[in-house]
Amino acid sequence: QSALTQPASVSGSPGQSITISCTGTSNDVGGYNYVSWYQQYPGKAPKVIIYDVSNRPSGVSYRFSGSKSGNTASLTISGLQAEDEADYYCISYTTISTWVFGGGTKLTVL
Amino acid sequence: QLQLQESGPGLVKPSETLSLTCTVSGGSITSSYYWGWIRQPPGKGLEWIGNTNDSGSTYYNPSLKSRVTISVDTSKKHFSLRLSSVTAADTAVYYCARRRGGTSDLDYWGQGTLVTVSS
């Protein structure tokens, strides 16, 4: 299985909105509403911020939102804050009952 | 509060078998959850290794399937990873994590443990 495609890096200024894409195929992202997003700080374990495409766990800021269109899922962060600077990963369920991560995106807050 | 803790050797010789255990505390290891392993080579992205549940349903990354075994011991409240015939490419931080059944939510993670493959 091939890794999902994410941009290597994105950047934005405080207060702006950014979107990170996660592109797969009809065998993963496009076939199921089982896509989640994780935020990871250096040296720390990842933390879930969106699951099942657009669900936000309790305690996660409303500034994080998720969506999906066709074979591409997206994570949007609105009102960027310095603390949002981190790596972000998507993961999707696949037709062979496995899971596949995206390559990760480094978010820089300018 | 549920906690997951990885344990095992931090150094493994090439061609040998990597063995890690994830101990679950503060909650049940049964019920509708999947227990899995994810790894991250230094400076690189996350890779899903596989997962299992208390009824023995197990799924593995196709690229690792021939070398991986994941098992759960409900009586001891832990689950384990075995990766055989390791090479330097298997050097990584290994995380254990819980996924809520019927969702894509990996809601609890261990802190991760670095395993280095070197002679």
Side-chain angles (χ1 to χ4, degrees):
Chain A
Q1 57 192 27
S2 300
L4 306 177
T5 300
Q6 296 182 231
S9 63
V10 298
S11 62
S13 299
Q16 288 186 330
S17 293
I18 63 94
T19 296
I20 298 171
S21 60
C22 171
T23 301
T25 70
S26 58
N27 292 324
D28 36 64
V29 175
Y32 307 92
N33 287 324
Y34 288 140
V35 176
S36 52
W37 290 90
Y38 298 83
Q39 177 189 61
Q40 185 182 35
Y41 293 112
K44 299 295 186 181
K47 169 193 169 186
V48 61
I49 53 174
I50 295 289
Y51 69 93
D52 296 352
V53 175
S54 60
N55 291 293
R56 196 170 50 246
S58 173
V60 173
S61 173
Y62 67 92
R63 300 184 298 105
F64 294 92
S65 62
S67 62
K68 192 185 83 167
S69 178
N71 296 336
T72 298
S74 299
L75 171 71
T76 297
I77 308 174
S78 60
L80 265 182
Q81 299 180 0
E83 67 200 47
D84 298 331
E85 186 162 293
D87 294 326
Y88 292 85
Y89 294 90
C90 61
I91 185 174
S92 172
Y93 185 66
T94 80
T95 52
I96 55 172
S97 301
T98 61
W99 297 79
V100 60
F101 276 102
T105 299
K106 181 177 181 60
L107 169 63
T108 300
V109 180
L110 302 170
Chain B
Q1 175 79 345
L2 191 78
Q3 290 188 316
L4 281 65
Q5 178 68 58
E6 304 90 350
S7 60
L11 181 64
V12 181
K13 290 182 168 54
S15 79
E16 295 190 343
T17 296
L18 178 160
S19 295
L20 296 175
T21 295
C22 181
T23 300
V24 179
S25 59
S28 174
I29 199 167
T30 57
S31 192
S32 54
Y33 299 114
Y34 282 82
W35 306 91
W37 293 90
I38 293 112
R39 70 180 183 179
Q40 185 171 36
K44 296 187 178 181
L46 300 170
E47 180 180 33
W48 183 81
I49 298 172
N51 62 201
T52 188
N53 63 7
D54 63 337
S55 64
S57 296
T58 308
Y59 302 94
Y60 300 128
N61 185 322
S63 68
L64 299 171
K65 189 173 184 177
S66 64
R67 299 194 291 131
V68 174
T69 303
I70 295 175
S71 59
V72 62
D73 186 331
T74 56
S75 64
K76 295 182 180 178
K77 295 192 70 173
H78 71 218
F79 60 104
S80 303
L81 168 71
R82 287 174 57 85
L83 180 66
S84 64
S85 305
V86 298
T87 70
D90 295 310
T91 293
V93 174
Y94 285 76
Y95 295 100
C96 59
R98 184 185 88 167
R99 180 174 62 82
R100 292 193 296 124
T103 79
S104 60
D105 184 10
L106 290 162
D107 59 351
Y108 285 94
W109 293 66
Q111 64 185 24
T113 187
L114 174 63
V115 180
T116 301
V117 178
S118 175
S119 55

